[in-house]
C-alpha cells in the first residue's frame, strides 16, 4: 500500500526506486563500510534503506538521531537503546548477543543500556559486527558538538580496524557534509571513502503514476486533472503526496483536500524550520525575513538584499546576507541555482514556501 504514513519496509509498497534500490543492495552485499544516503526530508530515504536491508536479508538497527542533544552521551545511548528495541521486533538475536555486555539489562520488555561507562556503545557495536549487522544512522547531521565528534570517531575506528557497515542518511545536505568532515582535515572521518546515493523527488510523471496507483490500490477514483495539480503543487515529494492520499481517503481527491494537506503539512514544515531557528535565536528575524522574501518571489541576491534592508530599515552588509544564505543552503531549506552568471535561490520544499507566503 503506497498511502501509508510510515516508512516502507517491503519492496511491493515502494514505488519505483529500482535503480537506487539495486545500487544500495549491491553496496550492502559488498559490505561497503560507509554508505551515505542523501535527499531532502520526506523524499523516501528511510523507506529505501529499510526495503534494501530487508531485501538483502541483513540484520540491522536504525538509530534515529533527529534532534539529538549534541552534548549528551546519555541521549546517544538512549537512541541506540530505542533502535535495538525496535530491531528486536524483527529478530531476537540481539537479546542473546547483548546479554554478555555488563551494562545491558535484558528483560522480556527488551533491553536497557546503562550509559555510565563511556565505551559501552563501542562494545555493543562490536557485538553487532560479530552478528554481521548493518548500522543505520538516520539524520546523522543532527549529531553535532561532542556527541557528533564522538560518533564520527567511532565510525572512523570501525572503518579503519573493523568490518561493520554504516549507512548514514541526511536531509540537510551541507550539514551532512560537515559531519562527514569532507572539507576538514582535522575531522575524524576526513579522507574516508564514502559511497554516496542521492534520493530525488519524483518527476511529474512519476508523481502522477504514484498517485494513480495509490488510489487504485484503495479502489478509489480520482480525476487526472486534480492529481496533476497535486503533483505540481507538492512538487513530487513522496511524503506530501502520501499525506494528500491519506486525507483523500476520507475527504475525496479534491481541491479542498489539497488545501487541507497544505495547511497540515505547513505546520509540520514550519515546525522544522523553527527547530533550525532555535539555534540561531539572535538572527532569527533576519533568517525569517530572507525566507519570506524568497517565498514571495524575490530570488536574486539584490532582490533579497533590498527586501531585507526594507524590513530592517537600514543597510545590511553583504557578508551578513551571505552568511544567512549559506546557512540556509547548508540546512537544505534553500537551493542555490546557478545558471551561467545568474544565481537564484529557491525554497526546496513547496510546502514551506506556501507556509511562508502567507
Ligand atoms: P525520508 O526518510 O526521506 O524523510 P521516508 O522514507 O520517511 O522519507 O518517506 C516519507 C513518506 O513517504 C512515508 O510515508 C513513506 O512511506 C512515503 N514514501 C517515500 N518514498 C516512497 C516510495 N518510493 N513509495 C511509496 N511511498 C514512499
Amino acid at each position: 500500500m503506497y498511502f501509508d504514513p510510515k516508512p516502507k519496509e517491503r519492496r511491493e509498497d515502494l514505488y519505483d526506486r529500482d535503480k537506487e534500490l539495486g545500487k544500495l543492495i549491491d553496496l550492502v552485499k559488498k559490505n561497503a563500510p560507509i554508505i551515505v544516503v542523501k535527499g531532502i526530508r520526506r523524499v523516501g530515504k528511510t523507506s529505501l534503506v529499510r526495503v534494501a536491508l530487508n531485501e538483502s536479508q541483513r540484520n540491522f538497527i536504525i538509530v534515529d538521531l533527529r534532534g539529538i542533544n549534541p552534548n549528551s552521551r546519555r541521549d546517544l545511548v538512549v537512541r541506540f537503546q530505542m533502535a535495538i528495541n525496535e530491531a528486536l521486533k524483527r529478530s531476537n538475536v540481539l537479546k542473546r548477543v547483548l546479554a554478555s555486555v555488563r551494562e545491558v539489562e535484558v528483560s522480556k520488555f527488551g533491553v536497557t543500556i546503562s550509559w555510565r561507562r563511556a565505551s559501552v556503545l563501542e562494545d555493543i557495536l562490536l557485538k553487532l559486527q560479530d552478528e554481521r549487522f548493518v548500522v543505520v544512522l538516520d539524520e546523522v547531521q543532527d549529531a553535532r558538538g561532542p556527541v557528533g565528534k564522538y560518533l564520527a570517531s567511532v565510525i572512523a575506528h570501525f572503518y579503519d580496524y573493523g568490518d561493520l557497515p554504516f549507512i548514514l542518511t541526511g536531509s540537510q545536505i551541507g550539514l551532512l557534509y560537515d559531519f562527514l568532515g569532507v572539507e576538514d582535515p582535522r575531522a575524524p572521518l576526513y579522507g574516508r571513502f564514502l559511497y554516496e546515493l542521492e534520493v530525488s523527488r519524483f518527476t511529474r510523471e512519476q508523481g502522477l503514476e504514484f498517485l494513480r496507483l495509490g488510489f487504485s490500490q484503495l479502489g478509489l477514483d480520482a480525476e487526472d486533472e486534480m492529481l496533476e495539480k497535486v503533483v505540481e503543487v507538492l512538487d513530487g515529494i513522496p511524503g506530501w503526496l502520501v499525506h494528500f492520499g491519506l486525507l483523500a481517503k476520507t475527504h475525496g481527491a479534491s481541491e479542498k483536500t489539497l488545501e487541507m494537506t497544505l495547511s497540515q503539512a505547513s505546520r509540520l514544515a514550519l515546525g522544522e524550520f523553527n527547530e533550525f531557528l532555535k539555534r540561531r535565536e539572535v538572527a532569527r528575524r533576519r533568517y525569517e525575513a530572507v525566507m519570506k522574501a524568497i517565498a514571495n518571489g524575490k530570488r536574486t541576491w539584490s532582490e533579497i538584499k533590498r527586501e531585507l534592508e526594507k524590513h530592517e530599515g537600514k543597510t545590511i552588509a553583504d557578508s551578513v546576507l551571505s552568511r544567512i544564505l549559506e546557512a540556509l543552503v547548508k540546512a537544505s531549506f534553500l537551493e542555490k541555482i546557478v545558471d551561467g552568471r545568474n544565481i537564484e535561490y529557491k525554497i526546496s520544499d513547496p510546502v514551506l514556501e506556501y507556509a511562508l507566503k502567507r
Side-chain angles (χ1 to χ4, degrees):
M1 195 72 78
Y2 289 167
F3 297 161
D4 178 341
K6 292 194 294 295
K8 302 300 187 285
E9 299 276 349
R10 299 178 314 162
R11 179 74 190 97
E12 64 263 37
D13 293 325
L14 190 75
Y15 169 77
D16 196 356
R17 303 298 192 205
D18 293 335
K19 239 178 43 217
E20 296 88 339
L21 202 55
K23 188 169 170 198
L24 189 51
I25 292 173
D26 192 44
L27 289 173
V28 169
K29 282 200 178 130
K30 280 203 252 175
N31 243 22
I34 304 178
I35 305 169
V36 177
V37 179
K38 57 187 182 179
I40 55 168
R41 274 224 166 137
R42 301 182 181 82
V43 81
K45 299 176 295 298
T46 316
S47 299
L48 179 76
V49 169
R50 279 183 180 272
V51 172
L53 290 168
N54 284 327
E55 290 281 304
S56 317
Q57 301 189 325
R58 282 290 282 268
N59 271 325
F60 61 91
I61 62 167
I62 300 194
V63 187
D64 184 357
L65 295 171
R66 225 165 299 180
I68 187 170
N69 179 346
N71 298 310
S72 165
R73 281 269 192 108
R74 180 187 189 168
D75 197 7
L76 184 62
V77 171
V78 169
R79 304 297 177 117
F80 269 82
Q81 180 178 298
M82 281 160 58
I84 289 167
N85 281 311
E86 193 247 354
L88 288 178
K89 290 184 205 147
R90 290 185 293 273
S91 146
N92 246 333
V93 65
L94 278 179
K95 268 195 180 171
R96 173 178 56 76
V97 171
L98 296 180
S100 61
V101 179
R102 196 159 21 104
E103 288 78 5
V104 177
E105 200 184 303
V106 179
S107 74
K108 66 174 181 208
F109 303 112
V111 302
T112 318
I113 309 170
S114 157
W115 56 278
R116 294 194 188 278
R117 182 167 59 89
S119 56
V120 61
L121 274 189
E122 285 133 82
D123 286 357
I124 290 173
L125 290 171
L126 281 171
K127 299 279 178 201
L128 295 179
Q129 174 176 271
D130 292 343
E131 296 298 320
R132 300 200 66 249
F133 264 72
V134 176
V135 175
V136 183
L137 302 176
D138 211 2
E139 299 291 4
V140 74
Q141 77 283 335
D142 278 13
R144 271 179 282 267
V147 163
K149 213 160 186 183
Y150 166 72
L151 199 56
S153 67
V154 169
I155 299 170
H157 180 85
F158 275 91
Y159 183 102
D160 294 340
Y161 305 108
D163 186 23
L164 176 66
F166 286 89
I167 298 181
L168 314 179
T169 85
S171 56
Q172 301 190 314
I173 321 274
L175 296 174
L176 175 65
Y177 283 130
D178 281 354
F179 175 85
L180 297 167
V182 281
E183 284 174 5
D184 177 6
R186 287 162 311 160
L189 282 166
Y190 179 78
R192 303 303 191 292
F193 187 81
L194 310 168
Y195 291 91
E196 290 190 50
L197 219 140
E198 182 159 6
V199 187
S200 309
R201 57 189 94 199
F202 292 155
T203 61
R204 201 182 142 275
E205 289 71 30
Q206 286 175 319
L208 207 52
E209 187 180 36
F210 175 70
L211 286 178
R212 278 193 202 122
L213 291 169
F215 278 104
S216 96
Q217 288 169 348
L218 296 173
L220 294 175
D221 282 334
E223 284 187 15
D224 250 10
E225 213 175 307
M226 188 61 224
L227 298 188
E228 270 172 38
K229 175 141 197 221
V230 172
V231 175
E232 192 187 309
V233 172
L234 302 176
D235 202 10
I237 298 179
W240 295 143
L241 298 179
V242 167
H243 201 108
F244 173 81
L246 286 167
L247 285 176
K249 238 160 117 173
T250 19
H251 303 283
S254 65
E255 199 79 47
K256 214 166 145 224
T257 304
L258 178 57
E259 263 169 44
M260 215 189 301
T261 309
L262 279 169
S263 107
Q264 293 184 3
S266 288
R267 258 175 273 147
L268 288 172
L270 275 178
E272 288 155 11
F273 185 51
N274 276 323
E275 275 304 311
F276 164 86
L277 291 178
K278 259 194 210 160
R279 280 177 271 118
R280 292 165 177 81
E281 213 47 72
V282 186
R284 185 187 185 93
R285 284 178 182 282
R286 282 192 172 156
Y287 278 95
E288 276 175 338
V290 166
M291 287 292 277
K292 282 197 170 139
I294 299 169
N296 287 298
K298 311 284 187 261
R299 299 176 64 154
T300 66
W301 170 278
S302 44
E303 283 172 342
I304 300 165
K305 186 157 188 257
R306 216 173 303 133
E307 239 359 69
L308 186 60
E309 289 181 337
K310 207 158 80 189
H311 174 80
E312 296 205 8
K314 62 178 185 198
T315 324
I316 303 287
D318 280 357
S319 58
V320 170
L321 179 56
S322 171
R323 240 178 292 132
I324 293 175
L325 288 170
E326 203 177 300
L328 289 165
V329 171
K330 259 193 170 180
S332 298
F333 288 111
L334 287 184
E335 280 166 26
K336 186 175 177 177
I337 300 158
V338 184
D339 179 11
R341 284 171 61 196
N342 285 339
I343 296 178
E344 289 200 349
Y345 293 87
K346 174 179 173 273
I347 296 181
S348 316
D349 184 341
V351 169
L352 184 60
E353 180 174 57
Y354 169 87
L356 291 166
K357 234 185 231 173
R358 291 179 297 173

